[in-house]
Amino acid sequence: MQNIKRRQFLAQAATVSAVATTLPSFALGQNVGGDKINLAVIGCSNRGGAIGSEAIKHPLTNCVALCDVVPSRANGLKKKMDGQCDDALVFDDFREMFSQMGDKIDACTIGVPDHSHFPIAMLAMSMGIDVYVEKPLAHTFEECELLIAAEKKYNVKCQMGNQGHSSEQRLQFESWVDAGIIKNVRRVDACMNNGRRWHPWGDVKDYPSAEKMPEGMNWDVWAGTAPKRAYNTKYDPGNWRGWYDYGNGAFGDWGPHTLDTVHRFLKLGLPHQVRAVSIDKPNDLIFPHGTTIAFDFKERGPDMPEMTINWYDGVKNRPPSSKDVKIGACGKAIFSDDLTFVGGTHSATLSIVGGDRLSDVKGNLPELPASETSTNHMDNFLRASAGLDPYCNSSFAVSGPLTQVFMLGCIAQRLGENLEFDAVKRQITNNARANDLLKGNAPRQGWEEYYKLA
């Protein structure tokens, strides 16, 4: 396919340039031979518009297509770009876009509701198109499993949009683990204590009744693989996050920005147990107003003993604090045998606030290493797509297992029950309904094909 050939050419060009000890012209924002990465932006408002505009403005890209279930949102993004994507074609259906232009697209950004990440990413990957998918990676444990497999099968560049994984926060955490500063961690407390969109709804008894849709909206594509219900503003725009059918609650939203480096560099993998410690205002349709859930991980090797992550969400559901340990409304505290760390989310670095080794390490912290990849997340993705960076910092091989932890947590929040998980069999062994939720709803009729592409 044309886009694969183009990527191979760019990778070869980057190698030649490196041998010549000169920067590739792409790295200088120049257009090699008139060729750029042909970009499609899928999801053009809110977060999708933010990541899409960042990609459009990048010197490596040429935006050829904009896709949104409400075409006026795509046209609105086009106007904001001041001529940078005037020639981009506008679609309201990603399937139609890929059918017409798949051989002309090299990479795409996907900034849509959680339940729609999977079919769009899977179709793009199967066509050899590189994908940037906003967090969380997918809507179910099984979808993550299939996307991890597809990344390997189709040999495409993939990035999940947890921006802190291309920042000093990642470099610091990794270097502190390597230097033995972060070791023997026994407990992590993490939280998201801001109000959520669904909190004012109270005790939801049923799905909302039909309202008038935005003009031109393709509601069938919005629903995608998930159940199709009557349009209501409690779904779109933005309110989908609170519904089990479409979103992943506060944990799926903020966990990727809070726990990514903890998960990766402490080699956590998947927990053997998830405990629903407390559930505030449980509901059969939407996420609770507050939860405390705990994840128990087995020993992983030297300096990596059994440990627990405690997650707190809900406005008043705060993790424990002390004189030294004060976590913000969104953040974490990490407790090892002899040091205590406090940090925030996204790109926020850690501070050492207590422990027996505090005075020893304070003056002996390693300098942050230079990254072999860009420390701007979108830049890293586009450079990897162009063959200029060796890998994406948050590839699906990295971000997929991380997201699966969140998916297990969301099941515990939904059911309010403790779960036993067998990581080898990939099954919840003590609760049949919970085990069924690893897959979630059966795909809607006509949308089954995406689950066969991995």
Side-chain angles (χ1 to χ4, degrees):
M1 294 176 65
Q2 179 178 345
N3 54 320
I4 295 176
K5 292 179 181 178
R6 180 181 294 115
R7 261 196 307 280
Q8 291 171 342
F9 165 78
L10 293 174
Q12 292 167 358
T15 301
V16 171
S17 297
V19 172
T21 65
T22 59
L23 282 174
S25 53
F26 268 137
L28 300 175
Q30 299 170 3
N31 186 352
V32 176
D35 201 2
K36 290 189 175 187
I37 298 169
N38 282 344
L39 172 74
V41 173
I42 306 166
C44 297
S45 63
N46 300 320
R47 186 61 192 155
I51 62 172
S53 61
E54 185 180 4
I56 291 169
K57 293 174 183 177
H58 198 283
L60 283 176
T61 65
N62 170 43
C63 183
V64 297
L66 300 170
C67 184
D68 196 288
V69 294
V70 181
S72 62
R73 296 173 183 170
N75 286 314
L77 179 61
K78 182 183 284 194
K79 290 180 181 178
K80 291 179 182 178
M81 289 296 99
D82 295 327
Q84 291 179 283
C85 57
D86 284 352
D87 295 331
L89 300 182
V90 172
F91 297 86
D92 68 355
D93 187 333
F94 70 92
R95 300 167 300 179
E96 181 182 348
M97 181 189 73
F98 285 134
S99 176
Q100 290 188 29
M101 300 186 65
D103 62 344
K104 301 179 180 65
I105 297 172
D106 298 313
C108 66
T109 61
I110 302 172
V112 297
D114 293 355
H115 73 278
S116 291
H117 290 184
F118 175 81
I120 301 172
M122 187 60 78
L123 181 57
M125 295 163 74
S126 73
M127 301 177 73
I129 297 169
D130 298 332
V131 294
Y132 181 109
V133 183
E134 260 304 273
K135 53 77 204 163
L137 181 57
H139 190 229
T140 70
F141 186 99
E142 183 192 53
E143 288 179 350
C144 294
E145 200 95 322
L146 294 172
L147 289 172
I148 295 167
E151 178 183 50
K152 184 176 181 180
K153 175 179 179 179
Y154 296 112
N155 193 29
V156 287
K157 300 296 185 182
C158 301
Q159 183 94 298
M160 186 177 84
N162 52 333
Q163 293 76 22
H165 221 76
S166 294
S167 72
E168 287 191 351
Q169 183 258 143
R170 171 184 58 92
L171 296 174
Q172 180 203 49
F173 202 104
E174 183 178 14
S175 66
W176 283 13
V177 169
D178 290 343
I181 294 167
I182 299 177
K183 65 178 181 178
N184 295 320
V185 173
R186 306 285 179 172
R187 185 179 111 223
V188 174
D189 292 343
C191 64
M192 198 292 173
N193 296 127
N194 291 332
R196 300 286 81 194
R197 291 170 180 259
W198 60 94
H199 289 174
W201 298 350
D203 186 17
V204 174
K205 300 294 186 182
D206 202 353
Y207 296 101
S209 57
E211 292 180 348
K212 184 180 179 181
M213 284 190 287
E215 185 176 353
M217 183 171 209
N218 192 331
W219 186 240
D220 188 73
V221 171
W222 188 96
T225 62
K228 184 181 178 182
R229 311 194 187 281
Y231 174 83
N232 190 283
T233 51
K234 282 189 174 178
Y235 300 132
D236 178 86
N239 290 317
W240 47 266
R241 198 179 298 282
W243 299 90
Y244 297 133
D245 282 345
Y246 308 116
N248 289 289
F251 188 42
D253 187 16
W254 280 85
H257 293 311
T258 311
L259 296 170
D260 60 334
T261 49
V262 172
H263 182 268
R264 180 173 183 178
F265 299 113
L266 297 185
K267 302 179 181 179
L268 292 181
L270 295 171
H272 65 89
Q273 182 172 240
V274 183
R275 292 175 283 123
V277 178
S278 67
I279 306 292
D280 178 27
K281 298 180 182 177
N283 191 278
D284 290 337
L285 304 178
I286 63 172
F287 280 88
H289 286 209
T291 63
T292 302
I293 47 177
F295 302 82
D296 297 324
F297 297 89
K298 295 180 178 179
E299 180 181 352
R300 282 95 52 218
D303 298 332
M304 294 187 179
E306 293 180 2
M307 64 167 283
T308 296
I309 292 178
N310 299 300
W311 172 264
Y312 302 80
D313 63 47
V315 175
K316 296 181 180 180
N317 187 33
R318 301 282 294 142
S321 62
S322 65
K323 178 182 177 182
D324 296 323
V325 179
K326 292 180 174 60
I327 311 173
C330 306
K332 57 184 171 284
I334 300 170
F335 302 89
S336 72
D337 285 348
D338 45 24
L339 286 174
T340 302
F341 310 84
V342 171
T345 68
H346 294 72
S347 300
T349 54
L350 294 174
S351 298
I352 306 173
V353 297
D356 296 339
R357 283 200 297 153
L358 179 60
S359 59
D360 295 335
V361 302
K362 274 288 189 179
N364 296 289
L365 297 175
E367 293 185 8
L368 291 186
S371 176
E372 65 176 326
T373 62
S374 166
T375 52
N376 173 280
H377 209 52
M378 182 61 72
D379 184 55
N380 167 231
F381 167 67
L382 294 172
R383 287 177 57 84
S385 180
L388 302 178
D389 274 359
Y391 55 83
C392 290
N393 291 328
S394 192
S395 69
F396 292 175
V398 171
S399 58
L402 169 70
T403 307
Q404 288 179 317
V405 175
F406 308 143
M407 301 300 100
L408 291 171
C410 288
I411 294 172
Q413 290 177 318
R414 179 172 183 170
L415 302 184
E417 298 181 20
N418 297 342
L419 310 176
E420 300 291 337
F421 183 74
D422 186 325
V424 175
K425 295 181 179 179
R426 322 296 273 184
Q427 291 180 353
I428 295 172
T429 58
N430 68 324
N431 188 310
R433 186 184 177 205
N435 194 57
D436 288 342
L437 288 174
L438 293 175
K439 290 188 175 182
N441 296 311
R444 196 158 55 95
Q445 186 175 0
W447 291 81
E448 307 93 342
E449 62 187 281
Y450 305 100
Y451 295 84
K452 304 173 184 177
L453 294 174

